[in-house]
Amino acid sequence: MKVLITQEEIKKRVEELAEEIRRKYKGKELVVLILLKGAFVFAADLLRRLEGVEIRCDFIKASSYGTSTESSGNVQLNLLPSLDITGKEVLLVDDILDTGLTLKKVKDWVLEQGAKNCETCVLLDKPERRKVPFKADYTGFEIPNHFVVGYGMDCAERYRHLPYVAILE
Ligand code: 5GP
Ligand code: MG
């Protein structure tokens, strides 16, 4: 295991992202939808820096069937938020933007529900891996094509608790 992004680097970048989001939504209502499971650590740190935004948060889960490290492209939503998002401004928070298939599917679903708009925030982006065009509105770090774990991200449910992002070799 090789550390790619340290705890300190993550903290500093999360503060910057939160400041950007706070500036945009200060005093406004925002529904934050956290993609399970990988985004829970990132979202917990990010949300605690969004004081002044009227946040309601909920969770959503998407799965794509394939091997553990390769997305099949068949993305299904298997846990839906109970909050009504009709007419709401929504921010989707995910751990990593890879092929883009998951966030595209979830964002399309959010807009189909009648959300007023839907922005996306990801900790990591692997632009080389994209299968569908997708750009997040807020990105923590662009990384090369490695399989990473830690800070919420797993390999067979292990390593989610690590406070840094590491490359699994
Ligand atoms: P996409 O649909 O963009 O290909 O995949 C996004 C999801 O795949 C992420 O939310 C994450 O759960 C998983 N994923 C993609 N790359 C990695 C990685 O390097 N490490 C881990 N642990 N999960 C990944
Ligand atoms: Mg995920």
Side-chain angles (χ1 to χ4, degrees), residues 99-100 104 130-135:
T99 62
K104 185 181 185 311
R130 214 70 93 245
K131 285 185 184 162
V132 287
F134 197 97
K135 210 183 160 304

Side-chain angles (χ1 to χ4, degrees), residues 13-132:
R13 190 68 188 120
V14 170
E15 283 170 13
E16 291 169 355
L17 290 174
E19 192 43 42
E20 223 184 303
I21 295 167
R22 220 175 55 83
R23 234 180 289 134
K24 172 149 185 179
Y25 292 102
K26 203 174 164 191
K28 295 190 189 163
E29 280 185 26
L30 180 65
V31 173
V32 177
L33 294 182
I34 301 161
L35 274 94
L36 292 175
K37 301 177 187 172
F40 82 103
V41 176
F42 172 44
D45 283 345
L46 187 74
L47 289 188
R48 282 179 291 177
R49 300 204 158 265
L50 294 180
E51 242 188 298
V53 183
E54 286 181 42
I55 289 180
R56 288 189 183 80
C57 81
D58 207 339
F59 301 90
I60 189 162
K61 190 168 195 289
S63 304
S64 80
Y65 298 95
T67 62
S68 57
T69 57
E70 198 59 42
S71 165
S72 69
N74 177 20
V75 179
Q76 303 205 345
L77 302 183
N78 39 33
L79 175 88
L80 295 177
S82 49
L83 272 180
D84 182 11
I85 57 175
T86 314
K88 303 292 186 200
E89 299 209 77
V90 174
L91 178 68
L92 285 174
V93 178
D94 202 3
D95 51 358
I96 178 161
L97 175 54
D98 189 34
T99 62
L101 293 163
T102 305
L103 273 178
K104 185 181 185 311
K105 171 89 182 184
V106 176
K107 183 173 177 174
D108 286 351
W109 180 85
V110 165
L111 294 172
E112 275 165 29
Q113 304 312 299
K116 185 172 165 191
N117 75 304
C118 180
E119 286 199 312
T120 51
C121 175
V122 296
L123 179 72
L124 305 176
D125 182 5
K126 291 196 259 189
E128 287 169 45
R129 296 256 309 160
R130 214 70 93 245
K131 285 185 184 162
V132 287

